Amino acid sequence: MAFTVVDATENCRHCLMCRHVCPVGNLTRREVLTPHGWAQLVALERRGLLSWGPETVDRLYRCADCGSCRAHCVGDQALPEAIAAARAALVDRGIAPPAVYEIDRRLREWENPYVDERPRPVEGRGEVALFVGDEAEFLRPSVVVAALELLEAVGVHPVLIGRGRSNGQLASSLGLVSVARELAAANLAELEATGARRLFVLSPGDFFAFTRAYGERLGVPLPPGVEVEEVVFFLARQLEAGRLRLRPSADVTPYAYVDPTHAVRVAGRAPAPRRLLSAVLPRPLRELFWSGERAQPCGDVALEFTHPGLADALTRARLADVVRAGARGLITEAASTLVRLERHATLHDVRVEGLYEFLAEHLAR
């Protein structure tokens, strides 16, 4: 029998080596809601030892698809991809949670789950493109404005693509393979229309979608010769080269940097945003326990739509990390992560700042 991605569950169902980094397992303290618990669930169903019903389907959809398990796996087992594939089988059988089919409808009609607006058409051609997406376009457009200001300060003027269109990760995570492929293909078609060979993205979630999920999960790989880079990586290099000039801040608030959701899926990304902030802040950043290579997600994952209470708990856990570190403010850059943190920040008396906006305010004119 040919190997399929779901077979990864066979290698994970009795392994506990990533259990300690699972954010849902850490919150719920339920063994069935850990990586090996989900792997065991799928493996048992494949053996005919349990069946998919409301309880087991609900359990499978409580995984955050944050990538922490695979990022900490010495064998690089594709468990998140296996869980997504198992969900896709449930979607095909019509037994996924009702919220999943509503998201499918919205993505097919509007290409985003947030507002009843279609994506804006791409305008112009150029050597460099910037993927905007639906989260930045509709949830926090100031992220895009600030990122463009920073890029233009170092002489980069990108063509904007995907303005209001999902990157496809939400659909992929929920098991909506067909619409995820359509979204990926539409984004890549816009990229091709610009003629750009370099694509900037605003968040690690976007980077993961374009560089890994499109090819590995959806079979829609990036065209050869296209380079994808997070804006924060590029800006950090420009700072080191002396092309990006930032002025110091007088703000003495003790800040922590919160790695955005999906940060663990991008190897070596932790130093770049911290280097940028160290050039501006008068005090060293407070480091969280769950940060860097063991960064935990915020609530801006598929759980936001299927299990909003669990998504809120993930968000509050990140804010609790900030408070425990002695910080009174936090800085991060992904639009969806910012929105989730702002929603609960007042309960923790924490100030939330956007990284791109913060840096743009401190450009040396």
Side-chain angles (χ1 to χ4, degrees):
M1 182 180 296
F3 176 85
T4 66
V5 69
V6 180
D7 289 324
T9 58
E10 297 298 319
N11 297 324
C12 299
R13 63 195 182 99
H14 291 312
C15 180
L16 304 179
M17 293 191 70
C18 67
R19 178 178 175 275
H20 63 293
V21 296
C22 175
V24 174
N26 287 336
L27 276 176
T28 64
R29 301 186 184 280
R30 294 182 61 194
E31 201 64 31
V32 293
L33 300 182
T34 63
H36 91 93
W38 288 306
Q40 190 71 271
L41 179 68
V42 175
L44 288 172
E45 192 278 334
R46 297 177 80 200
R47 287 166 166 76
L49 298 176
L50 61 76
S51 59
W52 292 120
E55 181 181 349
T56 50
V57 168
D58 177 79
R59 192 189 307 167
L60 187 66
Y61 271 89
R62 286 180 181 267
C63 166
D65 189 12
C66 65
S68 292
C69 55
R70 188 170 183 181
H72 287 81
C73 178
V74 296
D76 191 33
Q77 295 297 315
L79 182 59
E81 286 61 46
I83 291 172
R87 290 173 175 177
L90 299 182
V91 169
D92 289 344
R93 290 172 58 183
I95 58 174
V100 174
Y101 298 103
E102 173 60 17
I103 293 298
D104 183 56
R105 183 193 68 78
R106 290 198 60 83
L107 290 175
R108 291 183 186 280
E109 184 172 0
W110 304 109
E111 299 186 59
N112 81 87
Y114 304 112
V115 300
D116 296 353
E117 291 184 28
R118 298 282 300 174
R120 298 169 66 178
V122 64
E123 299 176 357
R125 291 174 60 84
E127 296 180 359
V128 180
L130 172 69
F131 177 75
V132 174
D134 54 351
E135 295 169 353
E137 178 78 7
F138 297 128
L139 300 182
R140 195 180 173 100
S142 60
V143 165
V144 184
V145 174
L148 287 173
E149 187 176 355
L150 291 162
L151 289 171
E152 290 166 1
V154 293
V156 177
H157 305 276
V159 180
L160 305 184
I161 69 168
R163 302 176 72 184
R165 181 183 298 108
S166 169
N167 62 20
Q169 171 60 20
L170 171 63
S172 168
S173 182
L174 292 173
L176 301 171
V177 178
S178 176
V179 71
R181 285 179 178 146
E182 292 174 9
L183 293 166
N187 288 326
L188 294 180
E190 286 194 353
L191 175 62
E192 184 177 3
T194 68
R197 308 307 296 169
R198 190 175 193 183
L199 176 64
F200 284 119
V201 294
L202 296 167
S203 71
D206 290 336
F207 184 86
F208 170 73
F210 277 92
T211 63
R212 291 279 299 277
Y214 282 10
E216 191 172 54
R217 293 191 179 190
L218 305 176
V220 187
L222 200 68
V226 174
E227 177 189 0
V228 182
E229 184 173 24
E230 274 194 73
V231 172
V232 289
F233 276 86
F234 176 73
L235 293 177
R237 291 208 318 275
Q238 299 305 298
L239 179 70
E240 295 292 343
R243 289 186 287 270
L244 178 66
R245 298 175 57 240
L246 301 170
R247 56 182 175 80
S249 172
D251 186 354
V252 295
T253 301
Y255 281 104
Y257 174 74
V258 175
D259 297 272
T261 296
H262 302 297
V264 294
R265 285 178 148 145
V266 183
R269 85 171 304 278
R274 291 165 171 82
R275 175 67 188 90
L276 289 164
L277 287 171
S278 70
V280 175
L281 293 172
R283 292 182 175 181
L285 287 164
R286 304 293 178 94
E287 279 295 340
L288 310 184
F289 178 80
W290 295 107
S291 66
E293 293 182 355
R294 58 171 179 249
Q296 299 277 274
C298 191
D300 51 327
V301 287
L303 292 172
E304 183 176 8
F305 301 95
T306 61
H307 297 84
L310 187 51
D312 286 345
L314 287 173
T315 304
R316 291 193 295 269
R318 302 289 70 73
L319 288 162
D321 287 347
V322 172
V323 173
R324 281 194 295 270
R328 304 311 309 162
L330 69 85
I331 301 174
T332 192
E333 67 268 34
S336 55
T337 302
L338 279 163
V339 169
R340 295 289 309 187
L341 290 166
E342 284 180 328
R343 191 175 301 168
H344 297 276
T346 54
L347 298 176
H348 296 263
D349 193 26
V350 171
R351 186 199 308 179
V352 178
E353 299 274 4
L355 174 65
Y356 295 124
E357 295 97 315
F358 189 80
L359 295 176
E361 290 173 3
H362 293 85
L363 274 172
R365 308 294 181 178

